[in-house]
Amino acid sequence: MHRCNRFSLASRTAVATLFAAAAVHAQEADPATGRWLRQFAPEATADILHTRLDLRVEDLAVPEIAGTATIRFRPVLGPLNELALDATGLAVTKVTRGEREAKFQLAGNRLTITLNPAASGDDEVCISYSAHDPAPGMIFAPGRDAGQGPQLHTQGESDSNDHWFPCHDFPNERMTSELVVNVPKGIAVSGNGRLVAHTHEGDREVWHWLQDKPHVAYLVSLVAGPFERVTLPNPLSGVPMQVWVPPHRADDVLRTYAATDRMIVTLERAFGMPYPWARYDQLLVRNFGAGGMENTSATSLADHALVGEDAEGETDFEALISHELCHQWTGDLITCRTWEHIWLNEGWATYGENLWFEERDGPDGYFDEVLDNTGVAGNDSVDGTIPMCSNLYNHPGECFGRAGNPYPKGASILHMLRELLGDEAFFAGVRGYFAQYALDLTETDDFRRSMEDATGRSLEWFFDQWCLRPGTPRVKVTHTWDESTRTLKVNLEQTQRIDAMTPAFRCDLPVVVATSSGVVEQPVRMTEKTQVAEFHLDGAPQWVCVDPRVATLKVMETDFPAAWLAGAARSGPTMAAKRLAARELGARDEEASRVALSDLARDAAARWTLRREAVQALARHPSAESKAAVLALWGNPPVEARVRKAVVEAIGTAAPAGAFDVAVAAITDRSPGVRSAAAGAIGSLASNEAVIAALGGAEAAKSRACELLTPLLSQESTHDSVRRAAMEACGQLKCPGSFTAIEPCAQLGMSDRTRAMAVRTLGGLAEADPALRPQAIALCNRLVDDLEWRVPQAAGDVLVALVAEDSLAHIDALAKDGSNQRLREQAGGWASGIREKVAAREKAKADDEAKAVADAAAAATAAAAAAQGATPEPAPAQPAVP
């Protein structure tokens, strides 16, 4: 069913008012043409009912597919004369409708099929087509070595699936889908939904998948490669689950993914909705552009998302796993109708992480996540022009990365709503939302109305303030304590811009005070610029917390004394309150802060996140005493590897006397995280004056650091963390001789992320040492059209940085004839970048030559005048050389 839900009149008025305030900054129209820049959902004149793709992949080492797309559709209103579909880069050879060929036109990225006679009911067309290297929608990964043969995977979000099949590539249309894929023998294929059939035909295999519940086009998935499929236990959920991995990593699956079953029942309970699809598989694919992608029933994940034995207990991917799993409800079962409402997908999936850590680790785990999400407030200013929910964008991808980032801000909105309503009302509204909109499309107002219907509360102010308005409040907290009357006044002030068009935020900021006899709390709701909370206490405060449950997303600073902050860090009401207090102690470099943070960092009974916070806060103190306190933490290294890592990072940052020796000792630690931190510390400390003096000079310090770092470049670890940290440090130091050690890291066989980092590091080394320039350029020329897309991206950027003029012919050919659209566009940019640098260089040379000629002429004139005893006229001023 098509629903045409739009914002209410009040919401539209709020948007208009808020944007009027920012009109001096926001650009609503193209100044040259006057064209309105807002993006609206494209018309869906046909309801796409079902898409079946019959595809043949001849050889996964060759980035080509061919086949047919059979699309069943229904006109939305009256007879339909044309069916228009998105089809970027596809070669369409024929379209049939029933027994007859249909006329079609392929112009740009739009395929238009003439329906003659007009369609008046359910109808069907069959499109024969092929695609060569259809990135970014379908990404091929070359084979690496035995057991890591070539792969392909698709990536539809936000609008890339039309690169490999014709579709309505916008999330305001749902359809069922079917994949029948013919591949070479030994290749496993995943699609969405359930496996209908898997057959063998000589040296070929055919995999048939059916997704029989409707979903949007960007969620259609195809993954193929020589995978091993490891079954996950499912005693709690009963959902069939497998993890697809390279055969040599099968032993790491349960270590990483065993909690998936418990995650499912956690989310089922929260949403009041059983897991909605036929299966839940997680597929680790190479050459992947993100951390994960929630394709319906078949999540794609980056191939590094496995925990090796070396990192067990200190690394997990459960934030990523729970995020993508949550999307199976929030994004797949219910999908945002337009990209401006992407927070309903991504904010909910991020909050799904909160719900999982609340289940796994209790309130401490939940409030750790809540606090981490509040980092978004630092960038989300009222002086921004675009709120989180806005259709003012050039490309949908912009909606994912605004200052009001829909991932952490969306999750923070859900937490604030839960705090405002209470658990019972909040989850009643959430369950009502899922019951009403399952297998449908929604906008922010739909979610608001569900919450209002379930609770009887008016929430328009809440959604207008947090979704439709840019910015978050900045709150300054000051206090006065009168010992004689035992009166505490806590003064709260919103310090962000407030004017006639930018009102103060409505904020819940409860204040909690502890004395020797107990804890008292006073609710505070700010609706104006300032507010005062006053307490008459039975004794001096031991600690004070403002908004310990983070009921309001904000940036806050307080003037509380160190003793109060130390008490809150130790005994505050939530983990968020404790960590914030420890964080604020980092701004008070005094004995009380130093002792409190050191004690907290050493407390083996405290949660590791709080101990890490204490270590990081102590490292921000500039005094010699605090630096010594940081170093002293290594005197009895913490058992918890994540805290030990924080200590090494802090020592590298604070750089106390003896820091280099600690970093050297830490590169042999059993933890890969600690070894990575040690590599980073060595890289930064080698340029420290005290270390340079101790090691006999700058060159000696650099040489010693590079000597220590080089062996780490060949060290295997989970997520390649040690190798990458060592590589970054070598690049930072411009280590002489490290070029040879790093170059193998750029070759096929390494992780694509490691390879790209190696290429950029080698480019930096060549910029610092011209003797390395030919070697770096030769390497980048070989890699500039590599199939692992991060690698050519890095290689092209390096060629620009090195002004590789001799590479222009090759780059121009890629820009003109390259079949890969992303590579074509990038190559054009690289060619322009090199030519601009060449032109600037030639201009600078010409300017220098002209200046030299002018200077010589002026000198000759002066000499002639001097010989005649005359005073020469001053030479005309020369223009400044840019």
Side-chain angles (χ1 to χ4, degrees):
M1 176 185 295
H2 287 270
R3 285 200 176 99
C4 191
N5 296 323
R6 291 291 180 260
F7 284 119
S8 64
L9 177 60
S11 293
R12 291 198 303 273
T13 302
V15 172
T17 301
L18 291 168
F19 270 99
V24 293
H25 303 295
Q27 187 166 295
E28 292 269 334
D30 183 329
T33 65
R35 180 175 61 86
W36 201 9
L37 296 179
R38 291 191 176 273
Q39 304 287 340
F40 297 94
E43 295 177 351
T45 56
D47 184 3
I48 308 297
L49 303 174
H50 183 75
T51 296
R52 172 178 166 130
L53 304 176
D54 289 86
L55 302 176
R56 183 179 178 92
V57 184
E58 198 65 43
D59 183 346
L60 267 65
V62 180
E64 294 179 342
I65 61 167
T68 61
T70 304
I71 299 175
R72 191 166 71 249
F73 63 94
R74 177 185 301 151
V76 171
L77 180 65
L80 185 67
N81 296 305
E82 290 182 341
L83 177 65
L85 300 167
D86 299 304
T88 300
L90 303 184
V92 177
T93 54
K94 184 171 70 171
V95 177
T96 58
R97 183 183 179 205
E99 299 298 321
R100 300 174 56 189
E101 287 197 29
K103 292 183 179 179
F104 67 90
Q105 181 180 16
L106 187 59
N109 65 349
R110 200 72 169 159
L111 171 65
T112 303
I113 300 168
T114 301
L115 304 174
N116 186 18
S120 56
D122 288 9
D123 213 319
E124 189 173 273
V125 294
C126 183
I127 304 162
S128 299
Y129 71 99
S130 63
H132 180 81
D133 206 359
M138 178 178 283
I139 296 93
F140 288 77
R144 288 180 178 167
D145 52 32
Q148 295 195 76
Q151 295 180 4
L152 71 82
H153 71 270
T154 59
Q155 175 56 38
E157 193 177 43
S158 52
D159 57 356
S160 299
N161 266 353
D162 72 307
H163 288 249
W164 65 279
F165 73 96
C167 59
H168 178 86
D169 208 356
F170 196 86
N172 63 337
E173 176 63 41
R174 298 181 76 101
M175 64 181 182
T176 56
S177 64
E178 192 171 3
L179 270 72
V180 182
V181 186
N182 187 305
V183 293
K185 186 177 180 180
I187 298 299
V189 176
S190 170
N192 307 94
R194 61 182 175 86
L195 183 62
V196 175
H198 173 209
T199 59
H200 294 76
E201 299 177 358
D203 62 351
R204 310 283 297 178
E205 299 186 24
V206 179
W207 297 74
H208 183 178
W209 294 91
L210 174 65
Q211 175 50 51
D212 56 9
K213 294 178 183 178
H215 59 162
V216 296
Y218 77 78
L219 294 170
V220 175
S221 169
L222 192 165
V223 174
F227 292 98
E228 182 165 339
R229 289 167 285 160
V230 180
T231 299
L232 292 181
N234 61 354
L236 300 174
S237 69
V239 175
M241 292 183 287
Q242 293 184 325
V243 180
W244 299 45
V245 293
H248 72 290
R249 297 303 304 272
D251 290 344
D252 296 325
V253 167
L254 289 179
R255 182 183 297 114
T256 310
Y257 292 91
T260 307
D261 187 43
R262 187 177 164 199
M263 290 179 187
I264 288 177
V265 296
T266 299
L267 295 172
E268 287 179 331
R269 182 170 61 246
F271 301 143
M273 182 71 61
Y275 178 79
W277 313 108
R279 82 192 210 273
Y280 186 58
D281 283 6
Q282 298 171 85
L283 301 99
L284 277 65
V285 298
R286 295 204 308 274
N287 208 12
F288 191 58
M293 178 61 210
E294 65 276 11
N295 304 307
T296 311
S297 76
T299 285
S300 294
L301 296 162
D303 64 342
H304 67 255
L306 285 165
V307 179
E309 261 187 295
D310 63 329
E312 187 170 12
E314 66 174 277
T315 298
D316 70 50
F317 290 95
E318 292 188 8
L320 172 63
I321 295 166
S322 57
H323 181 105
E324 302 306 335
L325 174 62
C326 185
H327 267 311
Q328 298 298 314
W329 288 267
T330 62
D332 296 7
L333 182 66
I334 301 177
T335 309
C336 61
R337 183 186 301 274
T338 63
W339 294 115
E340 66 194 277
H341 303 286
I342 190 60
W343 82 277
L344 293 173
N345 293 16
E346 297 298 352
W348 255 118
T350 305
Y351 193 67
E353 301 173 39
N354 293 33
L355 294 174
W356 166 242
F357 287 112
E358 182 177 28
E359 166 70 17
R360 192 189 79 175
D361 298 341
D364 284 354
Y366 177 81
F367 278 103
D368 268 338
E369 295 296 306
V370 168
L371 181 61
D372 290 346
N373 287 331
T374 63
V376 68
N379 293 322
D380 190 19
S381 164
V382 296
D383 297 318
T385 59
I386 302 179
M388 183 182 71
C389 292
S390 172
N391 62 356
L392 191 60
Y393 60 83
N394 294 310
H395 184 274
E398 296 171 21
C399 298
F400 292 75
R402 289 177 166 148
N405 188 300
Y407 291 74
K409 186 170 185 179
S412 298
I413 288 169
L414 293 167
H415 166 71
M416 288 190 289
L417 191 57
R418 182 177 175 182
E419 288 293 307
L420 178 69
L421 300 175
D423 276 15
E424 183 177 355
F426 174 76
F427 284 109
V430 168
R431 290 163 188 150
Y433 171 69
F434 277 92
Q436 181 174 358
Y437 291 104
L439 297 175
D440 209 342
L441 308 169
T442 62
E443 299 178 356
T444 299
D445 260 11
D446 298 318
F447 180 54
R448 173 181 64 82
R449 282 191 291 267
S450 289
M451 301 305 292
E452 290 178 334
D453 290 346
T455 64
R457 302 282 293 270
S458 175
L459 297 171
E460 198 159 25
W461 71 269
F462 179 90
F463 285 91
D464 279 2
Q465 173 171 287
W466 295 113
C467 298
L468 306 178
R469 172 182 176 178
T472 53
R474 271 62 177 156
V475 179
K476 183 177 182 179
V477 181
T478 57
H479 81 284
T480 58
W481 165 244
D482 188 329
E483 181 68 40
S484 62
T485 63
R486 294 179 178 177
T487 300
L488 172 69
K489 289 185 179 180
V490 178
N491 310 292
L492 303 113
E493 179 186 6
Q494 294 189 38
T495 60
Q496 76 280 359
R497 177 171 57 87
I498 297 174
D499 54 35
M501 301 305 295
T502 313
F505 284 85
R506 177 174 172 178
C507 301
D508 285 329
L509 297 167
V511 180
V512 183
V513 182
T515 66
S516 59
S517 60
V519 175
V520 293
E521 178 173 346
Q522 185 176 136
V524 177
R525 172 160 290 175
M526 290 189 77
T527 56
E528 299 178 356
K529 184 174 182 178
T530 61
Q531 187 87 18
V532 178
E534 185 170 321
F535 295 82
H536 298 283
L537 303 172
D538 58 4
Q542 294 183 339
W543 53 260
V544 181
C545 288
V546 177
D547 192 17
R549 295 181 62 84
V550 198
T552 295
L553 178 64
K554 63 194 170 300
V555 175
M556 183 174 70
E557 60 174 305
T558 76
D559 70 344
F560 297 151
W564 293 8
L565 293 172
R570 177 69 62 184
S571 306
T574 68
M575 185 53 60
K578 292 176 181 179
R579 286 177 57 194
L580 280 171
R583 196 173 291 177
E584 289 216 33
L585 284 168
R588 291 159 172 77
D589 190 1
E590 55 191 78
E591 180 67 16
S593 299
R594 193 155 46 244
V595 171
L597 291 171
S598 296
D599 288 348
L600 196 56
R602 289 191 176 95
D603 185 358
R607 183 167 167 81
W608 72 270
T609 54
L610 178 58
R611 297 176 68 191
R612 181 183 63 185
E613 195 81 61
V615 172
Q616 293 168 342
L618 185 60
R620 289 196 292 275
H621 289 182
S623 69
E625 293 83 357
S626 289
K627 291 178 184 292
V630 170
L631 188 71
L633 294 176
W634 188 256
N636 183 18
V639 172
E640 165 60 63
R642 291 167 290 193
V643 180
R644 212 159 62 246
K645 175 184 177 183
V647 170
V648 175
E649 289 172 338
I651 288 171
T653 301
F660 194 80
D661 292 338
V662 170
V664 172
I667 60 172
T668 59
D669 193 275
R670 64 184 180 277
S671 158
V674 174
R675 296 198 301 276
S676 301
I682 288 170
S684 60
L685 291 169
S687 57
N688 177 270
E689 290 183 7
V691 174
I692 288 172
L695 293 178
E699 287 305 313
K702 179 191 288 190
S703 176
R704 175 61 175 148
C706 296
E707 177 188 348
L708 292 164
L709 292 168
T710 300
L712 302 181
L713 293 168
S714 58
Q715 192 173 112
E716 301 294 332
S717 60
T718 290
H719 198 6
D720 234 356
S721 62
V722 175
R723 190 188 335 260
R724 293 174 58 149
M727 196 185 306
E728 184 176 10
C730 285
Q732 176 185 339
L733 292 171
K734 302 294 187 286
C735 283
S738 64
F739 194 101
T740 302
I742 293 173
E743 190 168 14
C745 300
Q747 306 306 321
L748 187 63
M750 291 284 182
S751 153
D752 59 302
R753 288 168 168 80
T754 298
R755 295 182 68 203
M757 185 179 188
V759 170
R760 294 188 187 279
T761 304
L762 294 170
L765 293 173
E767 284 188 83
D769 182 357
L772 297 172
R773 189 173 176 274
Q775 197 172 344
I777 290 175
L779 173 72
C780 290
N781 284 337
R782 292 196 304 272
L783 297 178
V784 77
D785 54 357
D786 191 275
L787 273 178
E788 294 191 332
W789 64 270
R790 285 184 177 83
V791 178
Q793 190 174 62
D797 291 345
V798 168
L799 290 174
V800 174
L802 296 178
V803 199
E805 193 172 1
D806 290 345
S807 301
L808 275 171
H810 181 39
I811 294 174
D812 285 338
L814 292 174
K816 181 179 180 181
D817 300 321
S819 58
N820 182 308
Q821 178 182 332
R822 175 163 52 194
L823 184 56
R824 280 200 305 274
E825 293 171 355
Q826 288 179 331
W830 298 328
S832 297
I834 292 173
R835 287 190 169 91
E836 287 171 7
K837 290 200 169 197
V838 169
R841 184 181 64 196
E842 294 303 314
K843 184 178 185 306
K845 181 181 178 181
D847 289 343
D848 287 345
E849 290 174 350
K851 185 175 184 303
V853 170
D855 289 347
T861 302
Q868 297 175 6
T871 301
E873 293 185 7
Q878 295 295 316
V881 177

